[in-house]
Amino acid sequence: MLPLWEMFLYLLLSLGFHFYSFYEVYKVSREYEEELEREFELEKDTLFWGLKKDPTDFEWSFWMEWGKERIIWLLLGHLMVSQMSRLFMEKYKPWCLMAYGMVACWFLLGINGLAVILLHIAISFSVAQFQRAVLTWLCSLLLLSTLRIPAVEEAKRGWYDTENEYYLLLFTLTVRCLYYTSFSLEYCWHGSTQKRYHSFFWMLAYLFYYPVFHNGPILTFNEFTKQMKRQESCSLKINLCILLLGIVRIFFWWWLAELMIHLMYIHAIYSSSSHLEVVSYWSLGGLALAQVLFFYVKYLVLFGIPALIIQMDGLKPPALPRCVSTMHSFTGMWRSFDVGLHHFLIRYIYIPMGGSHGSVFGMLFSTAITFSFVSYWHGGHNYLWFWAALNWLGVIAENGVKRLLSVSLVQDLIDHFFSPRICRRLHAALAAVSTSMLILSNLVFLGGNQVGKIYWNRIFLEAQIQHEHLQFRLP
């Protein structure tokens, strides 16, 4: 353990860097406010002292609009049905929630949306009857690929009056793909021995569980059925306390996210390469921190609301994302941010493909397949393949260093020449390299290849050129 004063010093430095870089982003936002307003139409409201709001984060604007208009009320309806079922029809609770989910789906997505979701479910269930995991995966990938066929996209757009309604169907089908894949794979592995919980009705109960219907988080089928069989029952007083505390926390996270996009026009600046290329290095670093921290706070809200409803249903939701400022490795990021997706990838792709218990080549291959699927599931765009490749290289490098340090000879040398405190400091130095690459990969994911290229050029190439120029001028 490091001395207390040293830990306190690092904490102060970290907080100082965060807040000063955010202040620089605030100044840049005010400096370019008029230009950004003309280009991106900043929104005016009275929420934070009349400050204008950056509306260019599509995901936040999309889910806040749907949430305020309909989804939050449908979630409250689910909560009422769940509590009434628990009190009067505990035995039939899964079927009551299934029926409610189907009605809510019809209400939001229309009869065509409900029909296409049922079609995907029926196809996946039919293929699962062969009890071949390879066929299940081929079916799921084929169904996922139909979401990107231009003719099919245009046909679905014709069902709705607005583009947002089509996108809601698209996002719902994308998330449902993981759910029917989970059910079908569990059916392939255990369907013959656990027929009661691998019926088509249990598949519908799982697929139409409404809190996770549109955007997750991901609950695997084995976890869902296991928890449905032994739901945790709490007293009314405890449930009310959990609900009120959860509402207060979610409201605080929402308020913090809104404050960030009122004070700092992060996404608008990222959408303008000309501004991103001329801001100071402090502003550039602050924009990177603000971008990834906003993404974190955003998902505290987007996952926090369904997680609270799941908890009120007597189930245990996946853990909420961990603060990205405390993460220092690619492996830790994947384990701790979207926990439900991580469990899905490990259970259904990484371990069946060999995982870390096989040869080095097997580990490389299974990791590559896992990241390839993640990239394709997110949309399969060019920048997503680049982001997946960066993550794959990062995880492989970290595992390689870990394996090297676990060799007994290397471990003996480290123990002989370095004290535990020195080892901890060296570990922090190595983690800093991993953290910088992790932030770069996340910027590619959130902003695209152009943003990643600007950061690479300015921080690694431009800074190196300036350093060499300064050395040349020194006597």
Side-chain angles (χ1 to χ4, degrees):
M1 186 70 177
L2 295 178
L4 187 61
W5 67 266
E6 188 175 351
M7 299 287 286
F8 186 67
L9 176 63
Y10 294 149
L11 177 63
L12 285 180
L13 287 173
S14 177
L15 292 174
F17 287 144
H18 275 71
F19 284 113
Y20 182 74
S21 61
F22 291 162
Y23 173 67
E24 289 291 322
V25 177
Y26 170 78
K27 290 199 303 182
V28 166
S29 300
R30 303 282 79 77
E31 181 182 349
Y32 296 123
E33 183 172 350
E34 292 184 3
E35 299 173 33
L36 295 172
E37 183 173 13
R38 285 195 299 269
E39 188 173 356
F40 300 105
E41 298 181 354
L42 302 178
E43 295 179 357
K44 298 178 181 179
D45 59 33
T46 57
L47 186 59
F48 294 100
W49 315 288
L51 290 172
K52 294 172 184 175
K53 173 183 173 180
D54 178 3
T56 52
D57 184 82
F58 170 77
E59 192 175 30
W60 180 254
S61 300
F62 178 86
W63 289 116
M64 288 304 103
E65 182 181 338
W66 273 108
K68 292 172 186 175
E69 288 182 359
R70 296 182 184 180
I71 291 180
I72 195 68
W73 306 111
L74 290 172
L75 287 173
L76 288 174
H78 168 94
L79 184 59
M80 291 177 62
V81 171
S82 174
Q83 296 305 309
M84 295 296 289
S85 300
R86 184 175 67 88
L87 290 173
F88 303 110
M89 296 180 292
E90 181 71 27
K91 184 179 178 180
Y92 302 103
K93 182 178 177 180
W95 320 123
C96 293
L97 296 182
M98 176 193 74
Y100 180 85
M102 296 179 77
V103 171
C105 174
W106 168 77
F107 178 72
L108 276 187
L109 300 174
I111 191 65
N112 290 327
L114 176 60
V116 76
I117 291 172
L118 285 171
L119 177 63
H120 281 218
I121 293 171
I123 292 172
S124 182
F125 183 79
S126 300
V127 173
Q129 303 309 300
F130 293 100
Q131 295 190 311
R132 293 290 183 269
V134 173
L135 291 180
T136 288
W137 271 115
L138 288 174
C139 173
S140 295
L141 292 173
L142 181 62
L143 290 172
L144 190 60
S145 70
T146 62
L147 305 182
R148 289 95 188 249
I149 299 174
V152 177
E153 288 181 326
E154 287 306 311
K156 290 174 182 174
R157 280 187 168 92
W159 299 343
Y160 302 108
D161 297 326
T162 65
E163 194 77 356
N164 271 3
E165 290 175 294
Y166 162 72
Y167 279 121
L168 182 63
L169 174 63
L170 179 64
F171 296 153
T172 302
L173 283 169
T174 303
V175 174
R176 292 305 90 198
C177 176
L178 298 187
Y179 276 74
Y180 58 67
T181 302
S182 175
F183 172 88
S184 296
L185 289 173
E186 296 291 343
Y187 186 93
C188 291
W189 296 341
H190 309 295
S192 58
T193 57
Q194 300 175 12
K195 291 183 179 180
R196 180 184 174 188
Y197 290 102
H198 291 81
S199 66
F200 186 65
F201 283 104
W202 267 105
M203 186 181 191
L204 291 177
Y206 173 58
L207 266 292
F208 284 99
Y209 182 62
Y210 193 70
V212 297
F213 189 69
H214 298 293
N215 193 42
I218 308 303
L219 277 171
T220 58
F221 180 72
N222 66 311
E223 282 296 322
F224 178 79
T225 52
K226 187 190 304 180
Q227 294 185 45
M228 273 293 183
K229 286 186 281 186
R230 51 170 182 81
Q231 299 173 39
E232 297 179 4
S233 57
C234 299
S235 67
L236 179 62
K237 184 177 179 181
I238 293 175
N239 274 338
L240 281 176
C241 289
I242 292 172
L243 181 62
L244 290 175
L245 181 60
I247 291 172
V248 170
R249 289 195 310 176
I250 291 166
F251 179 79
F252 172 74
W253 295 330
W254 170 83
W255 178 86
L256 183 59
E258 287 288 329
L259 179 64
M260 290 180 74
I261 55 178
H262 278 80
L263 293 175
M264 300 179 288
Y265 304 146
I266 315 159
H267 307 95
I269 295 174
Y270 268 119
S271 301
S272 175
S273 299
S274 58
H275 291 110
L276 198 58
E277 288 173 342
V278 298
V279 298
S280 68
Y281 286 113
W282 272 108
S283 299
L284 200 65
L287 283 164
L289 281 173
Q291 175 82 315
V292 295
L293 282 170
F294 178 80
F295 186 69
Y296 159 67
V297 176
K298 173 171 67 178
Y299 269 89
L300 285 180
V301 177
L302 297 182
F303 283 175
I305 294 173
L308 178 60
I309 304 295
I310 293 169
Q311 196 173 2
M312 295 300 295
D313 285 344
L315 310 180
K316 184 180 179 181
L320 292 178
R322 191 179 124 197
C323 180
V324 292
S325 289
T326 65
M327 295 183 190
H328 55 268
S329 69
F330 285 88
T331 307
M333 181 73 178
W334 279 97
R335 283 177 180 167
S336 306
F337 194 82
D338 192 339
V339 176
L341 178 61
H342 177 258
H343 287 168
F344 177 94
L345 297 172
I346 294 297
R347 181 172 179 82
Y348 300 121
I349 303 178
Y350 185 69
I351 291 177
M353 295 303 296
S356 58
H357 297 294
S359 64
V360 174
F361 176 78
M363 188 267 288
L364 293 173
F365 179 72
S366 57
T367 308
I369 293 296
T370 302
F371 283 120
S372 296
F373 173 77
V374 172
S375 174
Y376 186 69
W377 180 73
H378 275 93
H381 304 293
N382 287 337
Y383 75 92
L384 290 171
W385 291 110
F386 185 56
W387 163 73
L390 285 175
N391 277 270
W392 180 71
L393 291 171
V395 169
I396 293 304
E398 289 173 0
N399 275 287
V401 172
K402 187 177 179 180
R403 289 193 177 207
L404 176 64
L405 295 178
S406 65
V407 174
S408 58
L409 177 61
V410 176
Q411 192 65 54
D412 290 340
L413 289 172
I414 291 173
D415 293 339
H416 180 73
F417 289 103
F418 301 109
S419 67
R421 289 183 176 182
I422 295 295
C423 287
R424 192 173 179 85
R425 295 183 184 108
L426 289 174
H427 180 248
L430 282 174
V433 177
S434 182
T435 302
S436 63
M437 293 296 103
L438 177 62
I439 292 174
L440 179 64
S441 74
N442 286 333
L443 292 177
V444 171
F445 177 72
L446 298 172
N449 285 336
Q450 183 62 26
V451 169
K453 185 178 179 181
I454 290 172
Y455 268 86
W456 178 266
N457 289 338
R458 291 206 58 192
I459 292 177
F460 295 101
L461 300 183
E462 186 180 302
Q464 179 64 24
I465 292 171
Q466 290 181 1
H467 177 69
E468 291 176 355
H469 181 66
L470 180 63
Q471 283 187 323
F472 179 76
R473 293 182 60 182
L474 290 174

